[in-house]
Amino acid sequence: MTDIDLTTLSTTKSIQLSHGGGGQEMNKLIKGLFFKSFDNDILRNEEDAAVLTLEGNTAFTTDSFTVSPLFFAGGNIGKLAIAGTVNDLAMMGAKPQYLSCSVIIEEGFDVANLKTIVDSMANELSISGAKIVCGDTKVVPKGCADGLFINTTGVGTITKSGISVRNLKQGDAIIVSRDIGRHGAAILMAREGLTLESELISDCNTLWPAVEALIAADLDIHAMRDATRGGLSAVLNEWAQASDIGINVVEDDVPVSEEVRGLCELYGFEPFDLANEGTFIIALPQEQAEKALEVLSAFAACGDAAIIGEVSDDYAGRVILTSGWGSRRYLDLPQGELLPRIC
Amino acid sequence: MTDIDLTTLSTTKSIQLSHGGGGQEMNKLIKGLFFKSFDNDILRNEEDAAVLTLEGNTAFTTDSFTVSPLFFAGGNIGKLAIAGTVNDLAMMGAKPQYLSCSVIIEEGFDVANLKTIVDSMANELSISGAKIVCGDTKVVPKGCADGLFINTTGVGTITKSGISVRNLKQGDAIIVSRDIGRHGAAILMAREGLTLESELISDCNTLWPAVEALIAADLDIHAMRDATRGGLSAVLNEWAQASDIGINVVEDDVPVSEEVRGLCELYGFEPFDLANEGTFIIALPQEQAEKALEVLSAFAACGDAAIIGEVSDDYAGRVILTSGWGSRRYLDLPQGELLPRIC
């Protein structure tokens, strides 16, 4: 890295169009902020593309983050942008290795806030050990974006193969890694300016350490997915359809915090449809379910892990929810205007 | 792929928030539009991440596209989003193989325009043979984005190693693949509503076929880069600094069309600073320069390829421009407000 004069950047309070123009100002922003926080050998090469050595099967995934507001209880768009993409890799049994980071910044965006967000990204990366190795910075005029959008795209070597949306089998147990709906509820709360007496924070979290432990325990994981947009309902319905099996869920076994339940009653949401950003669902043989719960219990973020249902041969392609009173109904893929911009 | 009812999508004239909500409407948009145009085996798997088999050294690059207007003479944001990322891979000597596609759509965006843009992407992909294997769709409320932003991130196997911003050597010839400044000028024209008598269109183009031919001709390419934001000036200055060499450019040898020259005079721009999206610069040993020009001459988009200068041991880290009258000046990295949102 050439020697850069950071004084100009540090005295700039807000992002200008010239920070995205491809000239000197952009160079200063990139080197003074992004390179400093994400520093690593590959990034420092400054080639048109990063050069990686990848072996075996590689998982490849992308997500653009447009969450509003940018800061919420339990995280911000930066933490989310790392956890989200790292988790998509982890869900394929892949070790998160290399990420790209592409930002679209609205003219006038506060540089101090950008620094806080970038620092959160660097901090979240340290949990999985993944590195940001290439990036892109665009600035659009005031009114042409809502503050900041971040795209992260990631690659990682698959360490456990066979995990697939198509691989659920009769008799599999369905496990959820913690209580559901926290992220959606935290965003709703931030957006509505609500303050609850109890502390409701997003589940936003990097899941790789827990997944790595499950893989190390040699469990025969059939399917695994983080329940982001569309929540638990979306994951279970996609699985039921892709694997052409039925899934029975026992409503009372699904962990939901009192705070999330309260917000859902207030706003008419179903906890099953609310987004999560650090909660995942596992399908694996019934006889390995207790072992999986034991592995998960070592992780603070998986403290409420529970078996919530099983794969059945009834109603192939559908998810059946049995209530505490014994009544049964379809748990459908959410539709209509769900809570927008939760990620 | 499960059987999808496309009637709902085809009767929807504009994008709604629910198209990004993670529920049924989003599924319809993704399967009815993106999957149809980008169809391939990996995409159809619908896992949390695409599974790729990559060998040797892999190039990895990202770009977010925010060009305004979305349609311009010679292309649109979709064509640009593919050509841009494919070209960044090609510039590292990498065969473009797999791309991700992540879109941020403003509520109310016209579905017919989105389809035109997605079709352009599919068409541009066919030139290099690269495939879109994963994606993400976000919809933000009206006024929170300017129509459509696209991120593409790509990977590809490096077929020719050693190409680097740090690898320029004394005596290297500097070649430009065609006349410069067309993309910036075309965007300027579209934005100002100008119509010229002669046809000025963007150079927006996939460069892999030309690069593949250069590699096949076994040329010892030292450095190669497409002159996007910041134009020719930015590339040459980055090279001069990274390789710690001087670069002499002969102004009259740099091809510039009459239309671009005219627009530059009208608006006070330098053609050297204007963006290109299908124009690249090569540094290679002087004695291979004519061979390189011969290879490039087979490609319509490289018809004006020319030797424009050479690497020297004077003024290390700087670019010197010699005018037709023999006067010499520094060609500096552009600064200040260049033409914004050209890509």
Side-chain angles (χ1 to χ4, degrees), chain B residues 183-256:
Chain B
H183 182 70
I187 293 295
L188 179 65
M189 213 172 63
R191 218 175 280 166
E192 301 285 324
L194 295 177
T195 317
L196 298 184
E197 278 190 31
S198 56
E199 205 175 293
L200 170 60
I201 66 167
S202 166
D203 59 319
C204 181
N205 205 11
T206 290
L207 295 169
W208 174 242
V211 171
E212 193 177 25
L214 288 170
I215 294 172
D218 210 22
L219 295 166
D220 185 21
I221 302 165
H222 289 164
M224 186 158 60
R225 192 164 274 200
D226 51 339
T228 56
R229 273 185 294 180
L232 180 67
S233 308
V235 172
L236 296 182
N237 274 282
E238 280 170 38
W239 282 1
Q241 283 164 32
S243 289
D244 196 29
I245 45 85
I247 296 178
N248 289 327
V249 174
V250 179
E251 187 163 10
D252 287 354
D253 290 347
V254 181
V256 185

Side-chain angles (χ1 to χ4, degrees), chain A residues 1-2 17-18 20-27 44-66 87-89 91-92 98-104 133-141 143-146 149 151 153-155 158 163-166 224-226 229-230 234 238 241 333-338 340-341 343, chain B residues 1-2 17-18 20-27 44-66 87-89 91-92 98-104 133-141 143-146 149 151 153-155 158 163-166 224-226 229-230 234 238 241 333-338 340-341 343:
Chain A
M1 189 159 35
T2 48
L17 280 178
S18 58
Q24 293 188 12
E25 294 83 353
M26 190 171 86
N27 264 12
R44 239 178 285 136
N45 277 334
E46 294 179 59
E47 302 288 354
D48 248 11
V51 180
L52 313 177
T53 310
L54 297 162
E55 281 166 21
N57 283 334
T58 300
F60 179 49
T61 187
T62 188
D63 254 316
S64 282
F65 296 85
T66 63
N87 289 348
D88 280 349
L89 294 172
M91 291 304 117
M92 292 294 289
Y98 304 110
L99 266 62
S100 64
C101 166
S102 180
V103 296
I104 298 174
V133 291
C134 59
D136 179 49
T137 306
K138 293 280 161 37
V139 180
V140 296
C144 290
D146 192 15
F149 300 143
N151 176 280
T153 302
V155 290
I158 296 178
I163 300 172
S164 168
V165 67
R166 288 181 176 71
M224 185 157 62
R225 191 164 272 200
D226 51 339
R229 272 185 294 181
E238 280 170 38
Q241 283 165 30
L333 191 65
Q335 61 176 307
E337 284 199 20
L338 304 169
R341 296 183 66 191
C343 61
Chain B
M1 188 158 36
T2 49
L17 281 177
S18 59
Q24 292 187 12
E25 294 83 353
M26 189 172 86
N27 264 12
R44 238 178 286 135
N45 277 334
E46 296 180 60
E47 303 288 354
D48 249 11
V51 179
L52 313 177
T53 310
L54 297 162
E55 281 166 22
N57 284 334
T58 300
F60 179 48
T61 187
T62 188
D63 255 317
S64 282
F65 296 85
T66 63
N87 289 348
D88 280 349
L89 294 172
M91 291 304 117
M92 292 294 289
Y98 304 109
L99 267 62
S100 64
C101 166
S102 180
V103 295
I104 298 174
V133 291
C134 60
D136 179 49
T137 306
K138 294 280 161 34
V139 180
V140 296
C144 290
D146 192 16
F149 300 143
N151 175 281
T153 302
V155 290
I158 295 178
I163 300 172
S164 168
V165 67
R166 289 179 175 70
M224 186 158 60
R225 192 164 274 200
D226 51 339
R229 273 185 294 180
E238 280 170 38
Q241 283 164 32
L333 191 64
Q335 61 176 307
E337 284 201 19
L338 304 169
R341 295 183 67 191
C343 60

Side-chain angles (χ1 to χ4, degrees), chain B residues 156-338:
Chain B
T157 301
I158 295 178
T159 60
K160 160 86 183 164
S161 62
I163 300 172
S164 168
V165 67
R166 289 179 175 70
N167 197 29
L168 283 95
K169 300 205 187 330
Q170 296 302 334
D172 276 358
I174 306 290
I175 290 175
V176 64
S177 68
R178 64 169 297 166
D179 61 310
I180 64 168
R182 282 187 167 266
H183 182 70
I187 293 295
L188 179 65
M189 213 172 63
R191 218 175 280 166
E192 301 285 324
L194 295 177
T195 317
L196 298 184
E197 278 190 31
S198 56
E199 205 175 293
L200 170 60
I201 66 167
S202 166
D203 59 319
C204 181
N205 205 11
T206 290
L207 295 169
W208 174 242
V211 171
E212 193 177 25
L214 288 170
I215 294 172
D218 210 22
L219 295 166
D220 185 21
I221 302 165
H222 289 164
M224 186 158 60
R225 192 164 274 200
D226 51 339
T228 56
R229 273 185 294 180
L232 180 67
S233 308
V235 172
L236 296 182
N237 274 282
E238 280 170 38
W239 282 1
Q241 283 164 32
S243 289
D244 196 29
I245 45 85
I247 296 178
N248 289 327
V249 174
V250 179
E251 187 163 10
D252 287 354
D253 290 347
V254 181
V256 185
S257 71
E258 281 312 307
E259 297 92 331
V260 168
R261 203 179 291 281
L263 267 180
C264 279
E265 280 168 14
L266 203 59
Y267 286 89
F269 286 108
E270 287 246 44
F272 308 107
D273 295 352
L274 279 188
N276 312 272
E277 287 293 346
T279 303
F280 65 115
I281 325 294
I282 307 159
L284 83 180
Q286 201 74 248
E287 60 275 18
Q288 297 187 1
E290 286 301 331
K291 176 73 190 264
L293 291 180
E294 190 190 315
V295 171
L296 291 174
S297 68
F299 298 89
C302 304
D304 294 324
I307 301 168
I308 60 166
E310 60 180 7
V311 173
S312 81
D313 48 10
D314 287 345
Y315 300 97
R318 301 301 295 264
V319 182
I320 309 288
L321 190 72
T322 305
S323 77
W325 292 276
S327 64
R328 285 153 61 94
R329 67 174 173 97
Y330 289 128
L331 182 68
D332 284 319
L333 191 64
Q335 61 176 307
E337 284 201 19
L338 304 169

Side-chain angles (χ1 to χ4, degrees), chain A residues 168-174 222 245-248 283-289 307 309-313:
Chain A
L168 283 96
K169 301 204 185 337
Q170 296 302 334
D172 276 359
I174 306 289
H222 290 163
I245 45 85
I247 296 178
N248 288 327
L284 83 181
Q286 201 74 248
E287 59 276 17
Q288 297 187 2
I307 300 168
E310 59 180 8
V311 173
S312 81
D313 48 10

